[in-house]
Amino acid sequence: MKFGAGLMLLAALLCASAARAEELPRLLPLVGKSVPASLVQLSAEGQGRWQPVSGEPIDRPLAEIVSWGAPAELVHGPVVFLIDGSWISPGLSPPVTKPAQLLRWSKDRLTLQRSELGQLSLPIEMVRGVLIQLPGDRQARDKAINRLIADGQPRDTEGDQVRLENGDQVVGPITAWDDRQLTVKVGEADRAFSLERLQSVVFDPALLARPTPLKSRMLVGLRDGSRVLVSQIERKEQHVLLTPAKGLLNDSQQYWIATAESLVSLQPLDGPAKYLSDMTPEGYRHLPYLSVEWPYERDRNVLGTQLRARRRLYAKGIGMHSTSRLTFKLDGTARTFESEIAIDDAARGGGSCRFRVFVDAAEKFASPEITGGDAPVPVRVELGDGKLLSLIVDFGDRADELDYANWLNARLVP
């Protein structure tokens, strides 16, 4: 009995340890396998310490990691989009019943009443736009984000753009915005719209400032779905200090402050790893199974929505469809190509692909059939003196149906 009870206790402890490891964010180093680990220290100089479930702490500079954790899904609006690609949500609680009322507008500033970063008062010229009503469906949400970003690009018509929930849009300068309504000047007339009817507001792209390049970019994810680009991050006790682009801080601020528990992901974007999604390919070719042609996508799946695999978000990667080939020129500085391969969650369990990697004319990697819902499979290929790297996606046993193939965190490593 005692022996049996001991075995049961050991099994329970092993199960608890496995469950805890599953819950922890994963640390993916530049070299080596990913491990579940919590972030315990982070200095202003970029030196981090992570604690795995068991064993000694892992000390690494941020320059020697690919990522830690994963971005969180946006929960609700309004979501404020900045010119540098950051977006900021109003936090998780209390529940938001009237999203638009969390905003305060003036001709020179937009204030988000609350967020994981506290109350933020942002210069209008640094704000691309606001997604006020957030669709509940993830794919619809991603498309709304893409539409807002597209609306914020330079265009022929001048003025702010207001999009209503029914899809109608109005272009003209905003003249008033209070707790009840927003007013736009169209021609010689003022048109007022109830805030409850608004889906998004995009500020005149011609009046936006140019993003100030950061010396070193870090993509930081918060638990409410916010993602911010910063040049420096530091953990001090139970708080995280974030330094964003010049112009986003008030005169009284040196940094944004978030709680340590709100931090869910880190990803250096200017480290030694070079992401293929930031490179211009040498060539791309897609052979339609029937007649539909699919372009490849950067940092999106082939549908143009966010990269997801096994309910996890990925900020970097390439989306392709069977049957296609994407080729990049190598400059001799990279030692390996590394990635994870999976069918995007948008396939809802469908899809079947085979992934292959060629260096010049030699096949260096060939996957088994990958189907929707399978866990991402790591890929590592030695590049040697190769001149060309080709990523190939072929269809599997289910032909080309729902073949939303993802090369997650596809990167060249020196």
Side-chain angles (χ1 to χ4, degrees):
M1 291 292 292
K2 290 183 179 179
F3 180 73
L7 285 178
M8 291 177 64
L9 177 59
L10 177 61
L13 291 173
L14 290 174
C15 288
S17 178
R20 186 182 168 210
E22 186 68 25
E23 293 172 359
L24 286 178
R26 300 192 72 86
L27 173 66
L28 178 59
L30 193 65
V31 178
K33 296 181 179 180
S34 69
V35 293
S38 56
L39 176 66
V40 293
Q41 290 181 16
L42 191 57
S43 71
E45 293 73 31
Q47 183 68 37
R49 169 169 285 190
W50 288 265
Q51 180 61 59
V53 175
S54 59
E56 296 296 318
I58 301 171
D59 293 316
R60 292 283 175 92
L62 292 177
E64 293 183 10
I65 74 165
V66 175
S67 63
W68 171 75
E73 296 281 357
L74 286 167
V75 178
H76 45 60
V79 183
V80 177
F81 290 78
L82 307 181
I83 58 172
D84 66 354
S86 301
W87 63 61
I88 303 174
S89 169
L92 294 176
S93 62
V96 177
T97 55
K98 295 185 178 181
Q101 293 187 356
L102 291 176
L103 299 171
R104 293 292 181 270
W105 172 90
S106 68
K107 290 186 177 181
D108 62 346
R109 302 197 78 82
L110 182 75
T111 300
L112 184 59
Q113 295 289 87
R114 71 165 205 240
S115 74
E116 295 285 4
L117 302 168
Q119 183 185 85
L120 294 181
S121 180
L122 304 165
I124 286 290
E125 67 268 18
M126 303 292 285
V127 180
R128 186 186 301 274
V130 183
L131 185 59
I132 296 176
Q133 306 292 345
L134 201 63
D137 178 76
R138 289 179 177 178
Q139 298 299 310
R141 187 185 315 157
D142 290 351
K143 290 177 181 178
I145 292 172
N146 291 346
R147 185 163 54 242
L148 183 146
I149 294 172
D151 288 345
Q153 301 304 312
R155 55 178 186 261
D156 295 333
T157 55
E158 295 183 356
D160 306 314
Q161 180 172 293
V162 176
R163 187 180 291 273
L164 307 183
E165 281 194 300
N166 64 4
D168 291 345
Q169 53 185 330
V170 178
V171 178
I174 296 172
T175 57
W177 187 343
D178 58 30
D179 287 345
R180 297 181 299 105
Q181 62 184 24
L182 178 147
T183 304
V184 181
K185 191 174 187 62
V186 183
E188 297 300 320
D190 285 338
R191 296 185 59 185
F193 301 93
S194 168
L195 297 185
E196 296 180 356
R197 295 180 56 197
L198 304 184
Q199 183 189 74
S200 64
V201 175
V202 175
F203 298 111
D204 188 348
L207 303 180
L208 298 180
R210 291 188 177 183
T212 303
L214 298 175
K215 291 182 179 179
S216 180
R217 298 174 302 152
M218 173 83 63
L219 185 61
V220 174
L222 303 178
R223 61 184 172 184
D224 65 353
S226 296
R227 297 188 200 179
V228 292
L229 276 173
V230 301
S231 60
Q232 183 174 297
I233 177 171
E234 179 182 5
R235 176 168 177 170
K236 280 196 171 181
E237 297 179 348
Q238 298 307 309
H239 291 87
V240 177
L241 313 182
L242 305 169
T243 306
K246 185 178 179 181
L248 288 172
L249 295 172
N250 299 330
D251 293 338
S252 61
Q253 290 180 304
Q254 294 180 310
Y255 34 69
W256 287 336
I257 302 178
T259 62
E261 64 180 2
S262 70
L263 184 68
V264 297
S265 67
L266 297 173
Q267 188 153 16
L269 299 182
D270 295 317
K274 188 174 183 180
Y275 290 101
L276 296 188
S277 58
D278 296 332
M279 298 171 57
T280 300
E282 187 73 7
Y284 173 71
R285 187 181 183 189
H286 173 248
L287 297 175
Y289 185 76
L290 294 175
S291 60
V292 178
E293 295 193 10
W294 295 87
Y296 81 97
E297 294 283 345
R298 304 169 187 258
D299 299 332
R300 292 288 188 272
N301 62 33
V302 76
L303 298 173
T305 54
Q306 293 189 73
L307 295 162
R308 293 181 179 89
R310 293 285 282 260
R311 298 173 299 282
R312 173 178 171 167
L313 276 168
Y314 292 78
K316 302 296 292 180
I318 288 177
M320 295 172 62
H321 198 283
S322 62
T323 51
S324 58
R325 175 193 288 258
L326 184 62
T327 300
F328 294 87
K329 183 178 289 186
L330 300 172
D331 61 8
T333 61
R335 183 172 54 87
T336 61
F337 163 72
E338 299 183 30
S339 182
E340 290 180 275
I341 53 176
I343 303 295
D344 196 89
D345 285 354
R348 300 182 184 276
S352 60
C353 295
R354 290 182 171 86
F355 296 72
R356 296 191 290 160
V357 178
F358 276 70
V359 177
D360 296 332
E363 183 178 77
K364 296 294 186 178
F365 171 83
S367 77
E369 183 177 60
I370 305 295
T371 58
D374 289 348
V377 175
V379 177
R380 186 178 186 277
V381 170
E382 296 285 344
L383 299 175
D385 297 324
K387 304 300 182 184
L388 295 173
L389 171 71
S390 295
L391 310 183
I392 296 172
V393 178
D394 292 326
F395 58 78
D397 294 341
R398 304 176 188 174
D400 74 333
E401 184 178 5
L402 303 176
D403 282 354
Y404 309 149
N406 290 340
W407 299 85
L408 303 166
N409 285 326
R411 60 199 182 276
L412 301 177
V413 179

